[in-house]
Amino acid sequence: GAVVSQHPSRVICKSGTSVKIECRSLDFQATTMFWYRQFPKQSLMLMATSNEGSKATYEQGVEKDKFLINHASLTLSTLTVTSAHPEDSSFYICSARDRGGNQPQHFGDGTRLSIL
Amino acid sequence: QKEVEQDPGPLSVPEGAIVSLNCTYSNSAFQYFMWYRQYSRKGPELLMYTYSSGNKEDGRFTAQVDKSSKYISLFIRDSQPSDSATYLCAMSQGTGNQFYFGTGTSLTVIP
């Protein structure tokens, strides 16, 4: 099946650090990738939709200057959490949709971000 | 009212039991219905997806959609300890549209 790779899987860093998370579709091309945030025992919250070659679309309440998204190719999208603070600690998950078919999204394994 | 409602559980069953997981929704425009399985500290894994109403079977898993009642179900037959995970329902108007997720149901299958 479709594989989405997310890296790194775990990040622990000091407050004020910027953290970059990569999301790659390994065996398909994805014109659209999605970034979610998940708190413990809660569902996924869509943060933004990343479109290849254009600006990302952010959900209401999500600061675009805080969460920078770049979708430079059909297989790679990156999320950068700028000047991270403890309240940014969370589980971040990306997903991608195969542009060639009518398939649902496939998810990466997530990145657990802990800001000290 | 949330777009998608799902009982968070937790649900605990003995090995071999039939498990029934359910979601209700309010948006009649939803056409695609998905079930994802999420193990602890992992991303969701697509289990099944269906379009419009009806049933779909894949091995021990059966997905049912009743659009008239705005109700979807996932049945797991002969449940195994390896089925222990959180199950998320998701739905959308189209696979390219925004997905709306349930909160997930935590399932434990006891050996």
Side-chain angles (χ1 to χ4, degrees):
Chain A
V3 178
V4 175
S5 173
Q6 191 171 338
H7 178 80
S9 59
R10 183 83 166 96
V11 179
I12 302 173
C13 58
K14 293 181 179 179
S15 185
T17 306
S18 291
V19 178
K20 180 186 280 189
I21 303 169
E22 292 187 350
C23 181
R24 293 180 185 272
S25 56
L26 297 185
D27 55 358
F28 64 97
Q29 293 182 327
T31 50
T32 305
M33 291 184 174
F34 304 86
W35 288 96
Y36 294 85
R37 189 170 177 176
Q38 187 177 33
F39 292 101
K41 300 188 185 300
Q42 294 189 27
S43 190
L44 289 84
M45 182 189 79
L46 179 65
M47 297 175 65
T49 302
S50 167
N51 300 296
E52 187 266 336
S54 65
K55 290 183 179 180
T57 303
Y58 290 81
E59 295 300 304
Q60 191 173 13
V62 178
E63 298 176 57
K64 60 182 179 182
D65 295 330
K66 174 76 171 176
F67 299 99
L68 299 178
I69 291 173
N70 183 277
H71 192 156
S73 76
L74 287 172
T75 59
L76 173 65
S77 176
T78 60
L79 168 68
T80 301
V81 184
T82 61
S83 187
H85 292 284
E87 59 267 28
D88 298 322
S89 298
S90 190
F91 193 49
Y92 292 87
I93 309 176
C94 72
S95 71
R97 189 175 70 88
D98 187 343
R99 75 167 185 170
N102 200 25
Q103 300 290 318
Q105 301 170 30
H106 293 273
F107 287 84
D109 269 344
T111 297
R112 188 161 301 280
L113 176 62
S114 299
I115 308 298
L116 305 177
Chain B
Q1 183 186 10
K2 287 183 182 178
E3 296 272 5
V4 180
E5 298 277 358
Q6 183 176 8
D7 186 341
L11 184 62
S12 185
V13 301
E15 183 175 354
I18 296 174
V19 177
S20 172
L21 304 167
N22 312 294
C23 289
T24 58
Y25 62 96
S26 56
N27 189 344
S28 58
F30 288 147
Q31 295 281 355
Y32 288 87
F33 304 90
M34 281 68 64
W35 285 97
Y36 288 86
R37 177 174 62 195
Q38 185 175 21
Y39 292 111
S40 181
R41 300 179 184 275
K42 292 287 189 180
E45 169 195 1
L46 180 65
L47 273 180
M48 301 187 71
Y49 75 97
T50 54
Y51 172 73
S52 195
S53 282
N55 295 357
K56 186 173 184 178
E57 188 173 321
D58 183 0
R60 296 185 295 111
F61 298 90
T62 300
Q64 287 187 352
V65 175
D66 182 349
K67 290 190 70 180
S68 62
S69 302
K70 298 190 180 70
Y71 186 88
I72 70 170
S73 301
L74 177 71
F75 297 96
I76 307 174
R77 291 183 299 281
D78 187 25
S79 55
Q80 303 294 310
S82 58
D83 295 330
S84 298
T86 296
Y87 290 80
L88 294 150
C89 64
M91 45 200 80
S92 71
Q93 295 184 40
T95 56
N97 295 96
Q98 180 178 347
F99 277 29
Y100 293 87
F101 287 87
T103 51
T105 299
S106 175
L107 170 67
T108 301
V109 180
I110 303 168

